[in-house]
Amino acid sequence: MVSIVLEVACSLVAWLSLYAACCRWHEHRSREWSCRLVTLLHGVAVTCLSGYVALLDGPWPLTHAGSPNTPLQIHVLALTLGYFIFDLGWCLYFQTEGDLMLLHHTLSICGMIVVLGLGKSATEVNAVVFVSEITNPLLQARWFLREMGRYHTLLGEVVDFFFVLLFLVLRIAGGALIMYAMLASPQPSWLLKAGGLAMYLVSLGFMVEICHFVRRKMLKKFPSWTSLRSMNAPVKTNGHLTAH
């Protein structure tokens, strides 16, 4: 257990050091710019690592919920736990996030601590990390595109599309399968099951926000689509069609 605590502490120091380096390299940018660079790097790295653990290294989370933690699972969760502690501290200090995101970070930290302490259930928690973090790089890409004035471009549309698609398919649908496997298995502790259910409810809260975003975006685009359609439609003059 001492080795795990040291690993988490090293992870926290590493993310803090990376953030300090980003602040130094991008002095002309805001602190949020540097923090989101760290978040982007974490999202890419942990998505690859947790995806490898869940899909290739095993065990399979839908059939082995509550199984003993493997060394690789422990390393991935320790790396992620250090990041979440860093990011939660940053969000509280700069007060940039709402209650839902703060609740998400708090539940994530508590869940990983419980799993590392119990020595089991890293299989399903690692899978949850994968389906949750896979959309994070796209979320950060949206922010950087907006900051650089390139959000309202084709690239911005592509990023938005894949962000919403991956969120609904993996985080909501995939998360539901993981949640069912966790609740159906007798192995995970009741505390972890309750925490997993709370995390899924948070994801549903994010989904509601995303649905509102999609609705607003569609309403903004609808007038432009209708105006473009009317411009391309043939015009009648005295009962006869005239070419544009």
Side-chain angles (χ1 to χ4, degrees):
M1 188 63 189
V2 175
S3 62
I4 295 177
V5 172
L6 289 175
E7 193 171 350
V8 173
C10 290
S11 171
L12 174 59
V13 170
W15 293 116
L16 283 169
S17 301
L18 181 59
Y19 170 69
C22 289
C23 290
R24 185 180 180 88
W25 294 333
H26 302 278
E27 293 180 351
H28 60 292
R29 297 287 189 177
S30 65
R31 290 290 182 264
E32 187 172 4
W33 178 282
S34 298
C35 183
R36 286 186 180 269
L37 281 177
V38 175
T39 301
L40 177 62
L41 179 60
H42 168 265
V44 172
V46 170
T47 295
C48 295
L49 290 171
S50 60
Y52 173 79
V53 171
L55 303 176
L56 298 176
D57 189 65
W60 185 241
L62 299 183
T63 56
H64 290 75
S67 58
N69 302 345
T70 67
L72 186 55
Q73 289 171 346
I74 292 173
H75 294 325
V76 173
L77 290 185
L79 179 67
T80 305
L81 179 55
Y83 164 77
F84 271 102
I85 294 173
F86 153 75
D87 199 48
L88 178 60
W90 193 93
C91 292
L92 290 172
Y93 182 80
F94 288 98
Q95 298 181 354
T96 57
E97 300 295 339
D99 293 339
L100 194 60
M101 182 61 75
L102 295 178
L103 177 61
H104 168 269
H105 277 36
T106 303
L107 289 172
S108 298
I109 291 171
C110 292
M112 284 183 276
I113 290 175
V114 169
V115 166
L116 292 173
L118 292 176
K120 65 177 185 178
S121 291
T123 299
E124 59 269 31
V125 171
N126 181 85
V128 170
V129 169
F130 171 66
V131 298
S132 299
E133 289 299 312
I134 195 170
T135 56
N136 205 350
L138 293 171
L139 183 63
Q140 306 312 315
R142 293 179 69 249
W143 188 88
F144 283 115
L145 287 172
R146 192 181 296 276
E147 285 293 299
M148 294 184 292
R150 299 178 182 176
Y151 176 68
H152 298 289
T153 62
L154 177 60
L155 181 58
E157 298 289 340
V158 171
V159 169
D160 275 349
F161 173 78
F162 281 104
F163 171 75
V164 174
L165 178 66
L166 288 175
F167 190 96
L168 295 177
V169 173
L170 290 179
R171 189 157 184 170
I172 300 302
L177 292 176
I178 299 169
M179 193 68 247
Y180 175 79
M182 186 185 301
L183 293 175
S185 173
Q187 297 301 323
S189 69
W190 66 268
L191 182 60
L192 196 62
K193 290 182 179 182
L197 185 59
M199 276 292 292
Y200 191 73
L201 292 176
V202 169
S203 294
L204 292 178
F206 285 134
M207 185 189 71
V208 171
E209 292 183 351
I210 290 173
C211 289
H212 284 275
F213 158 75
V214 172
R215 181 176 178 274
R216 289 195 303 269
K217 190 162 187 174
M218 296 297 289
L219 289 176
K220 286 181 180 179
K221 286 190 171 296
F222 183 72
S224 61
W225 289 340
T226 54
S227 61
L228 182 64
R229 189 175 175 183
S230 62
M231 287 175 60
N232 293 331
V235 179
K236 287 187 177 182
T237 303
N238 295 329
H240 299 282
L241 295 177
T242 61
H244 285 284

